[in-house]
Amino acid sequence: MADLKELASALMRGDAPAVEKLTKQAVDAGIGPKEILDGGLIAGMQVVGERFKNNEIYVPEVLIAARAMHAGMKTLEPLLVKAGVKPVGTIAMGTVRGDLHDIGKNLVSMMMRGNGFKVIDLGIDVTPQKFVEAAKDQGANLIGMSALLTTTMPSMKATIDELQRAGLLGKVKVLIGGAPVTQRYASEIGADGYAPDAASAVDKAKELIGL
Amino acid sequence: MNPPALTIVGPRINSSRKIIAQAIQEKNEALIQHEARIQHEAGAAYIDVNAGAFLEQEVEYLPWLVRTVQAAVDAPLWLDSADAEAVEAALEVHRGKAVINSITFEKQRMDAMVPLAVKHSCGIVGLTIDSIRVPTEAEKKCEIAAHMVEALTAAGIKKEDIFVDPVVMPVGVAPEAGKETLAAIPLIRAAIPGIHIVCGAGNVSFQLPNRALLEATYLAMAMAAGMDVAFLDPCNTSIMASIIAAEALLGKDEFCIRYISAYREGKLGKK
Ligand code: B12
């Protein structure tokens, strides 16, 4: 197990070449892909998320950890698919209509991936219809909406209304965030959850789908 | 001391700051006027006013800010708002030549704001953002700027009233973005002579420690690249010290006299 600890700490340092090498070594040593994912990559990413939440590290340090995660996933992904390992959940993430800010959304997506979620990235300026389609046609069981402008927050409500019309509300869980968004606003518009940062977003997503 | 060659826009009266939001709500004229005065005295040629935190009341608060600030300082203002109604109400009461801050190259926002700029023959800030995306690449920024300036001049706005903002992004989250904006400045200068180029570097350091150091360094680099207007807090002495140094280094301070006098006045740090 020692090398999974080392893998986790390489990820925490953002050392992509080491993560790639250690992942391959773990595979060669006969450790299952799911175990490598959980005990190495995700374990490391959880610490990164926690430190970021506590303001102990800066955004660039999260970004290099995510890059290192990616280096390990290149090896692991095909093995996970072959072994039939399912993602813990599928979340369709997007910045809402009229809003072009995507840095926060991308960080949340990274953290979600880092914790075993499949992320469908819908990009920026995402219309309510596009969110609904992602839930209907791409099998997302969670929707994550990001808004950074007070003027685009109403687009979140519009998406929830659209989900309601499509009969998806309740079946698909809605998670919202972004600097001006609050828990109070989330409750007001009937979103299932709110989180103030990328690490809490993962906890909340897991809670919403009963993990 | 001579005024700096760089035109400074003072950003402190912004409703995203808690004390300003509170002052606006309480109609605290004294606080707003103090903020205006200290920026003007520290070298701001323009004072930016923003009431954007109040969605509903912006149309009432923005003109109030204009009247309040101009009762204290004799300076033109930048009307920092995305709401055409609020901008119109503010223009009605503004003395002198205001600047609308800002538009993007999107039909809806152009249609709402450009006629106001024409009617009041005021200045206008155009961000290099179009309806599709926020480009990072220098070439793309320049392309948007060129199209936007073409549309603005066709509508009757003079080139010297146009301020192109090539959009500075935080390097802590978008590491390539810093150098692309710097590269865009000379491209825009060459492609569109006669306009102003304005940058605000407050965001460049977002999410990183020692923000003033990054901001000051970036502004100095943007000046070297050809920026002539900057959105910066003139009351921040370490940033102002860098601006004065940069002007001396760029040959914009004859015989470095301003640099020397700033030193004597203790404005460059400890003697
Ligand atoms: C970078 C930036 C930009 C960049 C965006 C580049 C990009 N690719 O994203 C550019 C320069 C293009 C830009 C443009 C504009 N911007 Co801007 N921008 C910012 C800035 C400086 C940082 C935002 C950011 O990236 N933060 C970093 C990330 C990591 O934080 P975050 O987004 O909050 O995300 C975290 C949490 O909120 C949460 N989270 C985020 N999303 C989600 C989603 C879910 C589901 C969950 C659970 C959690 C979650 O987790 C994240 C990580 O911990 C802010 C200032 C600020 N203090 O926030 C202004 C700011 C957001 N912008 C602002 C404005 C006004 C604009 C413009 C309208 C400017 C103009 N005059 O035209 C345009 C609008 C363009 C548009 N239509 O969207 C205002 C908004 C004011 C308001 N209250 O509405 C701000 C607050 C600046 C200010 N003080 O005035 N901007």
Side-chain angles (χ1 to χ4, degrees), chain A residues 52 98-104 107-108 144-146 148-150 175-179 195-198 201, chain B residues 16 102 109 127 129 134 167 169-170 203 206-207:
Chain A
F52 179 58
D99 204 320
L100 306 174
H101 294 86
D102 65 355
I103 296 165
L107 266 181
V108 175
M145 286 188 273
S146 181
L148 266 285
L149 299 170
T150 41
L175 184 60
I176 66 172
D197 60 75
Chain B
S16 67
S102 59
R109 292 185 70 178
L127 303 168
I129 295 177
V134 188
V167 185
M169 285 191 220
N203 285 343
F206 195 66
Q207 301 272 357

Short mmCIF file of all heavy atoms in Angstrom, two decimals, chain A residues 52 98-104 107-108 144-146 148-150 175-179 195-198 201, chain B residues 16 102 109 127 129 134 167 169-170 203 206-207, ligand 1:
data_model
loop_
_atom_site.label_atom_id
_atom_site.label_comp_id
_atom_site.label_asym_id
_atom_site.label_seq_id
_atom_site.Cartn_x
_atom_site.Cartn_y
_atom_site.Cartn_z
N PHE A 52 -7.51 23.74 0.10
CA PHE A 52 -7.99 24.91 -0.63
C PHE A 52 -9.16 25.54 0.13
O PHE A 52 -9.23 26.76 0.30
CB PHE A 52 -8.42 24.49 -2.04
CG PHE A 52 -8.97 25.63 -2.88
CD1 PHE A 52 -8.20 26.74 -3.13
CD2 PHE A 52 -10.25 25.56 -3.40
CE1 PHE A 52 -8.71 27.80 -3.90
CE2 PHE A 52 -10.77 26.60 -4.16
CZ PHE A 52 -10.00 27.71 -4.41
N GLY A 98 -25.92 34.04 -20.43
CA GLY A 98 -25.53 35.44 -20.27
C GLY A 98 -24.25 35.64 -19.48
O GLY A 98 -23.75 36.74 -19.37
N ASP A 99 -23.72 34.57 -18.93
CA ASP A 99 -22.54 34.68 -18.06
C ASP A 99 -21.36 33.95 -18.70
O ASP A 99 -21.50 32.83 -19.17
CB ASP A 99 -22.86 34.05 -16.70
CG ASP A 99 -21.99 34.62 -15.59
OD1 ASP A 99 -20.79 34.83 -15.84
OD2 ASP A 99 -22.52 34.83 -14.49
N LEU A 100 -20.21 34.64 -18.73
CA LEU A 100 -19.05 34.06 -19.41
C LEU A 100 -17.95 33.64 -18.43
O LEU A 100 -16.89 33.19 -18.85
CB LEU A 100 -18.48 35.08 -20.40
CG LEU A 100 -19.46 35.65 -21.43
CD1 LEU A 100 -18.79 36.75 -22.25
CD2 LEU A 100 -20.01 34.57 -22.35
N HIS A 101 -18.17 33.83 -17.14
CA HIS A 101 -17.13 33.49 -16.16
C HIS A 101 -17.03 31.98 -16.01
O HIS A 101 -18.02 31.35 -15.63
CB HIS A 101 -17.47 34.08 -14.79
CG HIS A 101 -17.45 35.58 -14.77
ND1 HIS A 101 -18.53 36.34 -15.12
CD2 HIS A 101 -16.48 36.45 -14.41
CE1 HIS A 101 -18.22 37.61 -14.99
NE2 HIS A 101 -16.98 37.73 -14.56
N ASP A 102 -15.86 31.41 -16.29
CA ASP A 102 -15.81 29.95 -16.18
C ASP A 102 -14.70 29.42 -15.29
O ASP A 102 -14.53 28.21 -15.17
CB ASP A 102 -15.74 29.31 -17.57
CG ASP A 102 -14.45 29.64 -18.31
OD1 ASP A 102 -13.64 30.44 -17.80
OD2 ASP A 102 -14.25 29.09 -19.40
N ILE A 103 -13.96 30.30 -14.66
CA ILE A 103 -12.83 29.82 -13.87
C ILE A 103 -13.31 29.00 -12.67
O ILE A 103 -12.81 27.91 -12.41
CB ILE A 103 -11.97 31.01 -13.43
CG1 ILE A 103 -11.35 31.68 -14.67
CG2 ILE A 103 -10.88 30.57 -12.47
CD1 ILE A 103 -10.77 33.06 -14.43
N GLY A 104 -14.30 29.52 -11.96
CA GLY A 104 -14.85 28.80 -10.80
C GLY A 104 -15.50 27.49 -11.21
O GLY A 104 -15.28 26.45 -10.59
N LEU A 107 -12.91 24.93 -11.92
CA LEU A 107 -12.32 24.39 -10.68
C LEU A 107 -13.25 23.35 -10.06
O LEU A 107 -12.80 22.29 -9.60
CB LEU A 107 -12.11 25.50 -9.66
CG LEU A 107 -10.76 26.18 -9.63
CD1 LEU A 107 -10.75 27.22 -8.53
CD2 LEU A 107 -9.64 25.16 -9.36
N VAL A 108 -14.54 23.66 -10.03
CA VAL A 108 -15.50 22.70 -9.47
C VAL A 108 -15.47 21.41 -10.31
O VAL A 108 -15.43 20.30 -9.76
CB VAL A 108 -16.93 23.31 -9.41
CG1 VAL A 108 -17.94 22.27 -8.96
CG2 VAL A 108 -16.96 24.51 -8.47
N GLY A 144 -24.97 21.11 -12.31
CA GLY A 144 -24.23 22.12 -11.56
C GLY A 144 -24.22 23.42 -12.33
O GLY A 144 -23.74 23.49 -13.45
N MET A 145 -24.80 24.45 -11.72
CA MET A 145 -24.85 25.75 -12.40
C MET A 145 -23.99 26.76 -11.66
O MET A 145 -24.03 26.86 -10.45
CB MET A 145 -26.28 26.27 -12.43
CG MET A 145 -27.17 25.57 -13.41
SD MET A 145 -28.75 26.42 -13.52
CE MET A 145 -29.67 25.66 -12.19
N SER A 146 -23.24 27.55 -12.45
CA SER A 146 -22.39 28.58 -11.89
C SER A 146 -22.82 29.93 -12.43
O SER A 146 -23.12 30.06 -13.61
CB SER A 146 -20.93 28.28 -12.29
OG SER A 146 -20.07 29.26 -11.75
N LEU A 148 -21.68 34.23 -11.84
CA LEU A 148 -20.81 35.20 -11.15
C LEU A 148 -21.39 36.60 -11.17
O LEU A 148 -20.82 37.52 -10.59
CB LEU A 148 -19.42 35.22 -11.81
CG LEU A 148 -18.33 34.33 -11.23
CD1 LEU A 148 -17.79 34.91 -9.93
CD2 LEU A 148 -18.83 32.93 -10.97
N LEU A 149 -22.49 36.77 -11.88
CA LEU A 149 -23.08 38.10 -11.99
C LEU A 149 -24.44 38.10 -11.32
O LEU A 149 -25.21 37.15 -11.49
CB LEU A 149 -23.24 38.48 -13.47
CG LEU A 149 -21.96 38.55 -14.30
CD1 LEU A 149 -22.30 38.70 -15.78
CD2 LEU A 149 -21.08 39.71 -13.85
N THR A 150 -24.73 39.16 -10.60
CA THR A 150 -26.07 39.25 -9.99
C THR A 150 -27.13 39.27 -11.10
O THR A 150 -28.24 38.79 -10.89
CB THR A 150 -26.19 40.52 -9.12
OG1 THR A 150 -25.56 41.59 -9.80
CG2 THR A 150 -25.52 40.32 -7.79
N LEU A 175 -27.45 21.62 -8.23
CA LEU A 175 -26.47 22.20 -7.32
C LEU A 175 -26.05 23.54 -7.92
O LEU A 175 -25.78 23.62 -9.11
CB LEU A 175 -25.28 21.25 -7.25
CG LEU A 175 -24.13 21.54 -6.31
CD1 LEU A 175 -24.62 21.59 -4.88
CD2 LEU A 175 -23.07 20.45 -6.45
N ILE A 176 -26.02 24.59 -7.10
CA ILE A 176 -25.64 25.89 -7.66
C ILE A 176 -24.52 26.55 -6.85
O ILE A 176 -24.31 26.22 -5.68
CB ILE A 176 -26.84 26.86 -7.79
CG1 ILE A 176 -27.40 27.26 -6.42
CG2 ILE A 176 -27.93 26.26 -8.65
CD1 ILE A 176 -28.45 28.36 -6.49
N GLY A 177 -23.82 27.46 -7.49
CA GLY A 177 -22.73 28.17 -6.82
C GLY A 177 -22.23 29.34 -7.65
O GLY A 177 -22.77 29.65 -8.70
N GLY A 178 -21.17 29.97 -7.15
CA GLY A 178 -20.65 31.20 -7.76
C GLY A 178 -20.65 32.29 -6.70
O GLY A 178 -21.46 32.24 -5.78
N ALA A 179 -19.72 33.25 -6.84
CA ALA A 179 -19.51 34.22 -5.77
C ALA A 179 -20.77 34.91 -5.22
O ALA A 179 -20.91 35.02 -4.01
CB ALA A 179 -18.46 35.24 -6.19
N ALA A 195 -23.06 25.27 -2.64
CA ALA A 195 -21.78 25.13 -1.96
C ALA A 195 -20.93 26.36 -2.27
O ALA A 195 -20.96 26.88 -3.38
CB ALA A 195 -21.05 23.87 -2.41
N PRO A 196 -20.19 26.82 -1.27
CA PRO A 196 -19.40 28.05 -1.42
C PRO A 196 -18.06 27.85 -2.14
O PRO A 196 -17.45 28.82 -2.58
CB PRO A 196 -19.16 28.51 0.02
CG PRO A 196 -19.21 27.25 0.82
CD PRO A 196 -20.17 26.34 0.12
N ASP A 197 -17.56 26.63 -2.23
CA ASP A 197 -16.26 26.41 -2.89
C ASP A 197 -16.22 25.02 -3.49
O ASP A 197 -17.12 24.21 -3.28
CB ASP A 197 -15.11 26.60 -1.89
CG ASP A 197 -15.21 25.63 -0.75
OD1 ASP A 197 -14.90 24.44 -0.96
OD2 ASP A 197 -15.63 26.03 0.36
N ALA A 198 -15.14 24.76 -4.24
CA ALA A 198 -15.07 23.53 -5.03
C ALA A 198 -15.04 22.27 -4.17
O ALA A 198 -15.63 21.25 -4.54
CB ALA A 198 -13.85 23.58 -5.95
N ALA A 201 -18.39 21.66 -2.80
CA ALA A 201 -19.29 21.28 -3.88
C ALA A 201 -19.32 19.76 -4.03
O ALA A 201 -20.38 19.17 -4.25
CB ALA A 201 -18.85 21.94 -5.19
N SER B 16 -19.19 47.27 -4.94
CA SER B 16 -18.81 45.94 -4.47
C SER B 16 -17.96 46.04 -3.20
O SER B 16 -17.73 45.05 -2.53
CB SER B 16 -18.08 45.15 -5.57
OG SER B 16 -16.83 45.74 -5.85
N SER B 102 -19.03 50.01 -19.18
CA SER B 102 -18.40 49.74 -20.46
C SER B 102 -19.37 48.96 -21.33
O SER B 102 -20.43 48.56 -20.88
CB SER B 102 -17.15 48.86 -20.23
OG SER B 102 -17.56 47.66 -19.60
N ARG B 109 -25.87 45.04 -26.18
CA ARG B 109 -25.26 46.06 -25.33
C ARG B 109 -24.84 47.28 -26.14
O ARG B 109 -24.90 48.40 -25.66
CB ARG B 109 -24.07 45.47 -24.57
CG ARG B 109 -24.55 44.45 -23.53
CD ARG B 109 -23.45 43.93 -22.67
NE ARG B 109 -22.94 44.93 -21.74
CZ ARG B 109 -21.97 44.68 -20.86
NH1 ARG B 109 -21.44 43.49 -20.81
NH2 ARG B 109 -21.55 45.61 -20.04
N LEU B 127 -14.81 46.64 -24.10
CA LEU B 127 -14.02 45.47 -23.73
C LEU B 127 -13.87 44.55 -24.95
O LEU B 127 -14.80 44.44 -25.75
CB LEU B 127 -14.72 44.67 -22.63
CG LEU B 127 -15.04 45.39 -21.33
CD1 LEU B 127 -15.99 44.54 -20.47
CD2 LEU B 127 -13.77 45.67 -20.55
N ILE B 129 -14.53 41.69 -25.77
CA ILE B 129 -15.34 40.49 -25.50
C ILE B 129 -16.47 40.53 -26.52
O ILE B 129 -17.07 41.58 -26.70
CB ILE B 129 -15.94 40.56 -24.08
CG1 ILE B 129 -14.85 40.52 -23.01
CG2 ILE B 129 -16.95 39.44 -23.85
CD1 ILE B 129 -15.36 40.64 -21.58
N VAL B 134 -14.86 35.04 -24.39
CA VAL B 134 -13.90 35.99 -23.88
C VAL B 134 -12.54 35.50 -24.35
O VAL B 134 -11.96 34.60 -23.77
CB VAL B 134 -13.90 35.98 -22.34
CG1 VAL B 134 -13.05 37.11 -21.80
CG2 VAL B 134 -15.31 36.04 -21.80
N VAL B 167 -8.82 43.62 -21.61
CA VAL B 167 -9.24 42.65 -20.60
C VAL B 167 -8.08 41.87 -19.96
O VAL B 167 -7.57 40.89 -20.51
CB VAL B 167 -10.28 41.64 -21.12
CG1 VAL B 167 -10.76 40.74 -19.99
CG2 VAL B 167 -11.47 42.36 -21.74
N MET B 169 -6.75 39.36 -17.25
CA MET B 169 -7.32 38.24 -16.48
C MET B 169 -6.34 37.78 -15.41
O MET B 169 -5.15 38.04 -15.49
CB MET B 169 -7.65 37.10 -17.41
CG MET B 169 -8.90 37.35 -18.21
SD MET B 169 -9.38 35.85 -19.00
CE MET B 169 -9.89 36.45 -20.57
N PRO B 170 -6.85 37.09 -14.39
CA PRO B 170 -5.96 36.66 -13.31
C PRO B 170 -4.96 35.60 -13.76
O PRO B 170 -5.36 34.56 -14.26
CB PRO B 170 -6.93 36.06 -12.28
CG PRO B 170 -8.31 36.32 -12.76
CD PRO B 170 -8.25 36.69 -14.20
N ASN B 203 -7.29 42.80 -11.18
CA ASN B 203 -7.67 41.39 -11.25
C ASN B 203 -6.50 40.46 -11.56
O ASN B 203 -6.61 39.26 -11.42
CB ASN B 203 -8.71 41.18 -12.36
CG ASN B 203 -10.07 41.66 -11.93
OD1 ASN B 203 -10.31 41.85 -10.74
ND2 ASN B 203 -10.94 41.87 -12.88
N PHE B 206 -5.55 38.18 -8.78
CA PHE B 206 -6.64 37.52 -8.07
C PHE B 206 -6.22 36.13 -7.62
O PHE B 206 -5.61 35.38 -8.36
CB PHE B 206 -7.85 37.43 -8.99
CG PHE B 206 -9.12 37.11 -8.29
CD1 PHE B 206 -9.67 37.99 -7.40
CD2 PHE B 206 -9.75 35.90 -8.50
CE1 PHE B 206 -10.84 37.70 -6.73
CE2 PHE B 206 -10.92 35.59 -7.84
CZ PHE B 206 -11.47 36.50 -6.95
N GLN B 207 -6.51 35.80 -6.35
CA GLN B 207 -6.19 34.48 -5.80
C GLN B 207 -4.70 34.24 -5.57
O GLN B 207 -4.27 33.11 -5.37
CB GLN B 207 -6.74 33.35 -6.68
CG GLN B 207 -8.23 33.38 -6.89
CD GLN B 207 -8.97 32.64 -5.80
OE1 GLN B 207 -8.37 32.04 -4.92
NE2 GLN B 207 -10.29 32.68 -5.83
C1 B12 C 1 -11.99 36.84 -13.86
C2 B12 C 1 -13.18 37.76 -13.91
C3 B12 C 1 -13.68 38.11 -15.16
C4 B12 C 1 -13.12 37.53 -16.45
C5 B12 C 1 -13.71 36.12 -16.68
C6 B12 C 1 -12.74 35.18 -17.35
C7 B12 C 1 -13.22 33.76 -17.30
N1 B12 C 1 -12.81 32.99 -18.28
O1 B12 C 1 -13.93 33.33 -16.41
C8 B12 C 1 -13.62 38.60 -17.47
C9 B12 C 1 -12.56 39.66 -17.56
C10 B12 C 1 -13.94 38.11 -18.85
C11 B12 C 1 -14.83 39.18 -16.75
C12 B12 C 1 -15.85 39.83 -17.42
C13 B12 C 1 -16.88 40.49 -16.76
N2 B12 C 1 -17.01 40.65 -15.42
CO1 B12 C 1 -15.91 39.70 -14.13
N3 B12 C 1 -14.80 39.11 -12.75
C14 B12 C 1 -13.77 38.29 -12.73
C15 B12 C 1 -13.22 38.14 -11.27
C16 B12 C 1 -12.00 39.03 -11.14
C17 B12 C 1 -12.83 36.77 -10.81
C18 B12 C 1 -13.88 35.68 -10.99
C19 B12 C 1 -13.20 34.35 -10.78
O2 B12 C 1 -12.78 33.70 -11.70
N4 B12 C 1 -13.01 33.96 -9.53
C20 B12 C 1 -12.20 32.80 -9.16
C21 B12 C 1 -13.07 31.59 -8.94
C22 B12 C 1 -12.19 30.45 -8.48
O3 B12 C 1 -14.02 31.90 -7.95
P1 B12 C 1 -15.60 31.66 -8.16
O4 B12 C 1 -15.92 31.86 -9.58
O5 B12 C 1 -16.34 32.43 -7.15
O6 B12 C 1 -15.79 30.11 -7.90
C23 B12 C 1 -15.69 29.47 -6.65
C24 B12 C 1 -17.02 29.42 -5.88
O7 B12 C 1 -17.88 30.50 -6.17
C25 B12 C 1 -17.60 28.10 -6.20
N5 B12 C 1 -18.41 27.91 -7.40
C26 B12 C 1 -18.34 28.52 -8.60
N6 B12 C 1 -19.20 27.98 -9.47
C27 B12 C 1 -19.85 27.01 -8.84
C28 B12 C 1 -20.83 26.13 -9.28
C29 B12 C 1 -21.36 25.18 -8.40
C30 B12 C 1 -22.39 24.24 -8.89
C31 B12 C 1 -20.90 25.15 -7.06
C32 B12 C 1 -21.47 24.20 -6.12
C33 B12 C 1 -19.90 26.02 -6.63
C34 B12 C 1 -19.38 26.95 -7.51
O8 B12 C 1 -16.45 27.29 -6.31
C35 B12 C 1 -15.38 28.02 -6.94
C36 B12 C 1 -14.05 27.53 -6.45
O9 B12 C 1 -13.93 27.55 -5.05
C37 B12 C 1 -14.46 38.68 -10.45
C38 B12 C 1 -14.08 39.37 -9.12
C39 B12 C 1 -14.35 38.53 -7.93
N7 B12 C 1 -13.93 39.03 -6.81
O10 B12 C 1 -14.98 37.49 -7.98
C40 B12 C 1 -15.13 39.64 -11.44
C41 B12 C 1 -16.64 39.89 -11.37
C42 B12 C 1 -17.37 38.59 -11.13
N8 B12 C 1 -16.96 40.41 -12.71
C43 B12 C 1 -17.84 41.35 -12.70
C44 B12 C 1 -18.33 42.02 -13.86
C45 B12 C 1 -19.28 43.17 -13.63
C46 B12 C 1 -17.94 41.60 -15.16
C47 B12 C 1 -18.41 42.23 -16.48
C48 B12 C 1 -19.90 42.51 -16.58
C49 B12 C 1 -17.57 43.47 -16.75
C50 B12 C 1 -18.17 44.48 -17.68
N9 B12 C 1 -18.18 45.69 -17.20
O11 B12 C 1 -18.54 44.17 -18.79
C51 B12 C 1 -17.97 41.16 -17.52
C52 B12 C 1 -19.12 40.19 -17.81
C53 B12 C 1 -18.90 39.18 -18.87
C54 B12 C 1 -20.02 38.17 -18.81
N10 B12 C 1 -21.06 38.36 -19.60
O12 B12 C 1 -19.95 37.24 -18.06
C55 B12 C 1 -18.30 41.68 -11.29
C56 B12 C 1 -19.69 41.14 -10.96
C57 B12 C 1 -20.54 42.15 -10.19
C58 B12 C 1 -21.87 41.57 -9.85
N11 B12 C 1 -22.18 41.56 -8.58
O13 B12 C 1 -22.62 41.12 -10.67
C59 B12 C 1 -17.13 41.07 -10.42
C60 B12 C 1 -17.56 40.60 -9.03
C61 B12 C 1 -16.06 42.17 -10.31
C62 B12 C 1 -16.52 43.39 -9.53
N12 B12 C 1 -16.15 43.52 -8.27
O14 B12 C 1 -17.22 44.25 -10.03
N13 B12 C 1 -14.72 38.99 -15.43
#
